[in-house]
Amino acid sequence: MAGNGEAPVPVGTKQEQDRKVRRGWQGAARIWEETEQQAKRLRSSEGGGQHRKLPKRKVVLLVAYSGKGYHGMQRNVGSSKFKTIEDDLVSALVRSGCIPENHGEDMRKMSFQRCARTDKGVSAAGQVVSLKVWLIDDLLEKINSHLPSHIRILGLKRVTGGFNSKNKCDARTYFYMLPTFAFAHKDHDAQDETYRLHAETLGRVNRLLACYRGTHNFHNFTSQKGPREPSARRYILDMFCEEPFVREGMEFAVIKVKGQSFMTHQIRKMVGLVVAIVKGYAPESVLERCWGEAKVDVPKAPGLGLVLERVHFEKYNQRFGHDGLHEPLDWAREEAEVTAFKEQHIYPTIIGTERHERSMAQWLSTLPMHDFGATAHAAAGPGAKVPRPLEGSDGDSD
């Protein structure tokens, strides 16, 4: 038969009835599909679709937290065994409505980055994270409403689209808070809460801490680093101990250190070695030996007193901080809130934990076990395959 059309089918035949049934199914399928699409559009508009109309912008958040009870800052995706600060933070971001739920599952989708990955138990008064969010109304209040009181977002600022808080950070400032009886001579009672730090001893502590300033080979102050690895060389801008103060009948002091970056355990070992020298367990000459290739037994102070106080963005501020579009990342307006958070959450946690668990006193009792006179040749050279330490808490990785 000429033409491409179908041959006519007599009305009432089984073939015609089958064709009508198929057409009915197809029509019903089209109706169901259209209805489902309308329902999806309705659900989208009710459940956050309005956010698509809002601009998604790169911002930085000033985060403060008490690290007790957490296994560090960085989220361990797929693992619920060890709770981290970012677990609570990301959950609050999703629940506040400033990021979609799938961004909480895959943090790369919101370009999330932190300045430093603090380790288990380490706190922060000035952590900074960068990410892309919907700029909804009352953003900070909504995020904080879904966070526990020991985690707070204290500030928010717009930054350039390509900003990365880790890569743009010029330096990090940490402080280490410890009871001053840690500096008492080894013949003194290691748990004497009535001990008070003399000006002469404080002067010696600061003279030793000043030896860390400048660029040195810190391979003895971390793990898994060979003495000839270029990355073991780090630049310390300043390190000093402030005047002591008394809290709850016990005297404490704060050691501050500012450096470009830090390796795993570096700050805690820097503090630990100075304590060992001042107490009389190690000679001052051990500091000079630490810069050499020989492996030196350097004790690691407890993690309890370590706090990330501030991160610095000098180069970014010089280029963008006064361009009329962006603010400098100096957090001067938030300083009072940072101080209040430290007084309410960080200092009481350190003091209370020290009084009840006596982590410093217990650690001091282990110092006689260290052999500060012995050295071993560090075999790891430039060609050795040594695992890279994680970036994070002692500035980058405690």
Side-chain angles (χ1 to χ4, degrees):
M1 181 178 294
N4 296 326
E6 296 182 359
V9 178
V11 177
T13 64
K14 185 176 184 304
Q15 189 175 358
E16 174 65 16
Q17 292 173 351
D18 291 344
R19 182 175 295 177
K20 289 181 178 180
V21 170
R22 287 196 301 271
R23 288 173 179 169
W25 287 346
Q26 293 170 353
R30 283 196 299 272
I31 294 173
W32 179 87
E33 184 177 343
E34 291 172 359
T35 304
E36 181 65 16
Q37 290 175 351
Q38 291 175 356
K40 286 182 178 179
R41 286 194 294 268
L42 180 61
R43 288 195 297 269
S44 175
S45 63
E46 291 176 348
Q50 70 272 18
H51 289 155
R52 293 194 182 94
K53 299 177 182 179
L54 295 173
K56 186 178 285 186
R57 295 289 185 261
K58 178 67 74 70
V59 302
V60 291
L61 302 178
L62 178 65
V63 188
Y65 52 85
S66 172
K68 185 178 181 181
Y70 290 88
H71 284 256
M73 170 71 180
Q74 185 170 2
R75 191 181 192 191
N76 300 311
V77 179
S79 173
S80 59
K81 185 178 179 181
F82 302 111
K83 188 177 183 181
T84 68
I85 297 294
E86 285 179 10
D87 286 330
D88 283 352
L89 176 58
V90 171
S91 174
L93 292 172
V94 173
R95 294 170 66 189
S96 68
C98 67
I99 64 168
E101 188 171 353
N102 66 337
H103 286 199
E105 298 167 357
D106 185 356
M107 296 166 66
R108 292 173 299 181
K109 292 182 177 180
M110 57 175 164
S111 303
F112 187 96
Q113 185 58 265
R114 83 286 301 164
C115 271
R117 180 169 58 188
T118 54
D119 201 10
K120 178 182 176 181
V122 177
S123 300
Q127 172 76 274
V128 171
V129 301
S130 55
L131 70 160
K132 291 180 179 179
V133 298
W134 283 312
L135 295 176
I136 61 177
D137 294 334
D138 303 319
L139 179 56
L140 290 190
E141 291 80 359
K142 289 178 179 176
I143 298 174
N144 282 326
S145 70
H146 296 291
L147 285 170
S149 60
H150 54 268
I151 304 176
R152 292 286 97 179
I153 308 299
L154 302 180
L156 177 151
K157 292 187 179 184
R158 284 278 306 277
V159 289
T160 56
F163 184 89
N164 179 303
S165 60
K166 177 175 176 285
N167 295 341
K168 295 296 183 182
C169 182
D170 303 308
R172 299 156 175 86
T173 296
Y174 279 76
F175 73 77
Y176 189 90
M177 182 174 169
L178 74 170
T180 57
F181 63 68
F183 296 121
H185 192 270
K186 62 183 180 181
D187 296 334
H188 195 280
D189 182 3
Q191 301 186 37
D192 183 6
E193 295 184 6
T194 65
Y195 177 83
R196 297 296 181 262
L197 187 64
H198 297 294
E200 182 181 351
T201 304
L202 177 60
R204 186 185 182 203
V205 169
N206 275 319
R207 180 169 56 81
L208 292 169
L209 293 175
C211 296
Y212 290 124
R213 295 175 187 161
T215 302
H216 299 284
N217 187 339
F218 282 95
H219 74 96
N220 275 309
F221 295 84
T222 187
S223 57
Q224 301 176 334
K225 281 285 184 184
R228 299 179 186 178
E229 291 188 59
S231 59
R233 295 184 65 82
R234 300 293 165 122
Y235 177 50
I236 304 300
L237 287 85
D238 201 6
M239 191 168 188
F240 60 93
C241 183
E242 296 181 333
E243 290 290 331
F245 55 92
V246 177
R247 292 289 178 91
E248 299 181 19
M250 186 184 300
E251 188 179 67
F252 289 84
V254 168
I255 295 174
K256 289 194 175 183
V257 55
K258 180 180 180 181
Q260 284 185 336
S261 61
F262 299 90
M263 297 179 290
T264 306
H265 302 156
Q266 181 180 339
I267 296 174
R268 289 165 62 185
K269 282 179 172 283
M270 292 165 73
V271 172
L273 186 59
V274 167
V275 168
I277 293 173
V278 174
K279 291 190 76 66
Y281 288 110
E284 292 192 15
S285 59
V286 72
L287 257 174
E288 196 65 31
R289 284 196 291 119
C290 284
W291 310 138
E293 291 194 5
K295 194 67 178 174
V296 178
D297 185 10
V298 178
K300 180 177 64 178
L304 173 64
L306 185 62
V307 178
L308 173 62
E309 183 174 49
R310 186 184 301 273
V311 290
H312 306 268
F313 301 94
E314 280 90 352
K315 292 180 181 177
Y316 174 86
N317 288 342
Q318 290 173 6
R319 183 173 180 182
F320 298 106
H322 304 283
D323 63 357
L325 298 174
H326 305 92
E327 299 178 79
L329 302 182
D330 56 15
W331 310 108
R333 291 196 302 268
E334 292 78 12
E335 194 62 45
E337 290 185 76
V338 171
T339 300
F341 186 89
K342 288 190 287 188
E343 292 288 346
Q344 294 172 15
H345 296 283
I346 295 180
Y347 295 152
T349 297
I350 295 174
I351 295 168
T353 304
E354 180 60 44
R355 293 190 69 90
H356 290 97
E357 299 180 8
R358 308 198 63 80
S359 60
M360 179 57 69
Q362 292 181 29
W363 174 75
L364 291 173
S365 68
T366 69
L367 288 180
M369 304 177 189
H370 291 268
D371 186 357
F372 296 100
T375 57
H377 183 70
K385 292 184 178 181
V386 181
R388 292 172 61 85
L390 303 174
E391 52 86 17
S393 60
D394 262 20
D396 300 342
S397 167
D398 192 301

